[in-house]
Amino acid sequence: MQFAPLQRVVCSCLLIFCLVGCTTPFARSTSTSVTSKPDHSAAEQSTDTSAAKGDPLTNASTSDATFEDKLHLRDAHLQMLDTSTGFAWGYVGHTFKLYKTTDGCLTWQTIASPAIPPYDVSLQGPGNTGYTNADFIGTANGYLGALAFMRADGVHVLTTTETDGSHSNHVWHTVVIPSPGDATHIGQICFTTPKYGWMLLLGDGASGAAPKYLYRTTNGGMTWQEVNSSTAALPHNGVDVDMTFSQDGVHGILTTVNPLTLSPVMEETSDGGRHWQTVLGSLTGMHLTDSITDVTPFTPTLENGMEHAEFFVESPDGNKLLMIAKEMKGGLITHTLSVSNVQALTWSESAATVVLRKDARDIVMHSDDDGQDWTTVGNIPNSLADNTTTVQNFQMFGQVGWLLLQNDTLTPTLLKTTDGGAHWTTV
């Protein structure tokens, strides 16, 4: 397996907690405001009657059918809310498709959405103008779903809420947000509650730097406000950007890599994104080699009063997984793990699971103490994953987990474990 481009994706529903700034915080803010407007050009519901009823796919119950056989998606994504319920999306031809499972990815139901412009993901690649991003969170009695894509008239954000557990009557609310002239695509959209959500717009990053614009909603996507940008507080250098926020709508982390210095960047906010403080901006004092050749960030997390950010640091002198933790009432804690090649990493409460590529094998390791100590729990057979595949999504819920891979034709393979990563099967 290889690294997948950081398009993201996924902002998990997280626990409420408080953060403290670093010893010498660098506070920054912006107050630009943007008013979004309803979009009346798209139909509120799809005319696909089978999708509107949530009918299962005709081949979804075939026992030997794989994820790809069932959905035929290209550039597929998976977001599980728990061990049973989750969502998959991607493209069939030029058409965006969205599905839901309630039995752990065995069967799927189509979810209807308003008209979304066609996009040739095989030709244009993921993440460019017109590409559709998605995010889902679980609620007390259903879920909230969000889709977003950029067109010439601005960013279209579509939200829906299911409250009765049914698969029918998916009514989508659509707004259009005027986008800055130098923004070219959506980097990420994520919600943490039915009220609080964030969206990051990016500009062309061909030079290793990209304009960045952060938007926030406090009413479930009905309106959005620009709360920060790279002209004010967000880092201008770096194109692989990821962010995570907490359920209280206040605390958040943003990570990227400065390509000029090959330095990891970790920023935190305690007011919903209006002000940011630099937690980490260089590798000084990290006891790593000076001959670093590349740094790759992973998705940051906020759990149990801790901030977590991980970076894969490559060097001729030996590769390291750099793990940054920030206590709720303390300073930075750093750990490094000597590795060959990190393919994927995910957190479930204070437990971390990582997939490493070593000696042409994908090894699964697990830590129960915030990354201090690691145990090898299993490996993924080469018949299921090899150097031609990239990781799209990786999630663990205790002993149950999913690893979604794709090859160079954007064809997906979905793997599942029920014993903490010791064994994997194709779903």
Side-chain angles (χ1 to χ4, degrees):
M1 288 182 288
Q2 304 171 356
F3 284 114
L6 294 179
Q7 303 294 345
R8 296 234 159 68
V9 153
V10 176
C11 185
S12 302
C13 195
L14 303 164
L15 299 176
I16 299 175
F17 67 100
C18 294
L19 303 173
V20 294
C22 52
T23 305
T24 56
F26 176 36
R28 301 171 297 183
S29 69
T30 182
S31 58
T32 304
S33 177
V34 173
T35 302
S36 52
K37 60 181 179 180
D39 177 16
H40 301 293
S41 62
E44 287 293 81
Q45 289 178 285
S46 170
T47 57
D48 183 342
T49 56
S50 65
K53 295 177 181 178
D55 292 340
L57 301 180
T58 56
N59 62 350
S61 60
T62 305
S63 59
D64 59 351
T66 65
F67 178 80
E68 202 282 326
D69 294 330
K70 296 170 186 176
L71 304 186
H72 304 288
L73 292 172
R74 293 299 177 268
D75 187 50
H77 293 269
L78 177 71
Q79 187 173 355
M80 299 299 294
L81 304 183
D82 52 39
T83 57
S84 299
T85 304
F87 300 85
W89 62 91
Y91 287 87
V92 177
H94 296 181
T95 303
F96 179 82
K97 294 288 187 178
L98 176 61
Y99 304 98
K100 179 185 177 182
T101 183
T102 56
D103 56 13
C105 302
L106 296 179
T107 60
W108 296 90
Q109 296 82 37
T110 303
I111 296 180
S113 62
I116 294 177
Y119 181 86
D120 189 346
V121 71
S122 297
L123 178 64
Q124 296 176 261
N128 293 306
T129 302
Y131 178 83
T132 300
N133 292 256
D135 186 52
F136 294 85
I137 61 162
T139 62
N141 55 354
Y143 67 86
L144 178 141
L147 309 177
F149 57 88
M150 183 177 289
R151 301 183 68 180
D153 61 339
V155 180
H156 294 235
V157 182
L158 294 62
T159 53
T160 188
T161 302
E162 179 186 90
T163 58
D164 59 3
S166 69
H167 306 302
S168 60
N169 300 321
H170 287 95
V171 178
W172 293 82
H173 176 79
T174 306
V175 296
V176 180
I177 305 169
S179 57
D182 55 354
T184 59
H185 61 283
I186 300 168
Q188 186 181 356
I189 183 169
C190 68
F191 277 78
T192 58
T193 72
K195 292 172 52 180
Y196 297 124
W198 290 261
M199 181 170 56
L200 184 67
L201 304 186
L202 300 175
D204 179 17
S207 64
K212 301 172 181 68
Y213 301 90
L214 180 62
Y215 293 79
R216 181 175 185 249
T217 181
T218 58
N219 55 14
M222 298 299 173
T223 59
W224 294 79
Q225 180 187 38
E226 183 185 328
V227 294
N228 223 307
S229 72
S230 54
T231 61
L234 301 183
H236 185 69
N237 291 336
V239 295
D240 289 340
V241 184
D242 211 336
M243 59 185 184
T244 298
F245 291 86
S246 57
Q247 283 186 310
D248 58 10
V250 171
H251 305 109
I253 307 173
L254 181 147
T255 57
T256 187
V257 173
N258 186 335
L260 300 180
T261 60
L262 291 181
S263 297
V265 176
M266 178 180 176
E267 308 265 337
E268 67 180 7
T269 180
S270 57
D271 59 6
R274 290 183 173 86
H275 296 80
W276 292 84
Q277 297 172 335
T278 299
V279 177
L280 179 69
S282 74
L283 291 173
T284 302
M286 295 296 170
H287 307 292
L288 296 172
T289 178
D290 293 329
S291 56
I292 293 169
T293 57
D294 199 13
V295 177
T296 304
F298 288 94
T299 303
T301 60
L302 300 176
E303 289 189 325
N304 298 332
M306 294 287 291
E307 301 179 31
H308 288 282
E310 291 80 33
F311 300 86
F312 176 51
V313 181
E314 298 179 67
S315 165
D317 299 327
N319 299 335
K320 302 282 188 180
L321 176 63
L322 173 62
M323 308 188 72
I324 308 296
K326 187 172 185 299
E327 294 179 311
M328 183 173 60
K329 295 182 179 180
L332 290 181
I333 303 172
T334 64
H335 305 292
T336 57
L337 175 68
S338 295
V339 294
S340 176
N341 197 330
V342 183
Q343 306 301 311
L345 185 148
T346 189
W347 285 89
S348 178
E349 296 185 354
S350 61
T353 305
V354 66
V355 180
L356 308 175
R357 185 75 176 173
K358 184 178 182 180
D359 299 328
R361 298 176 64 223
D362 289 309
I363 299 171
V364 182
M365 299 185 69
H366 186 79
S367 171
D368 285 317
D369 54 7
D370 290 313
Q372 297 182 64
D373 301 293
W374 292 86
T375 302
T376 299
V377 296
N379 66 280
I380 301 172
N382 282 341
S383 59
L384 301 180
D386 56 35
N387 276 331
T388 67
T389 56
T390 57
V391 179
Q392 285 287 86
N393 303 98
F394 184 31
Q395 287 182 270
M396 294 291 296
F397 296 86
Q399 294 293 299
V400 180
W402 287 266
L403 185 65
L404 180 62
L405 312 173
Q406 72 175 14
N407 62 18
D408 55 5
T409 66
L410 306 183
T411 303
T413 298
L414 180 60
L415 308 181
K416 182 178 181 179
T417 180
T418 57
D419 56 11
H423 300 89
W424 296 83
T425 57
T426 304
V427 181

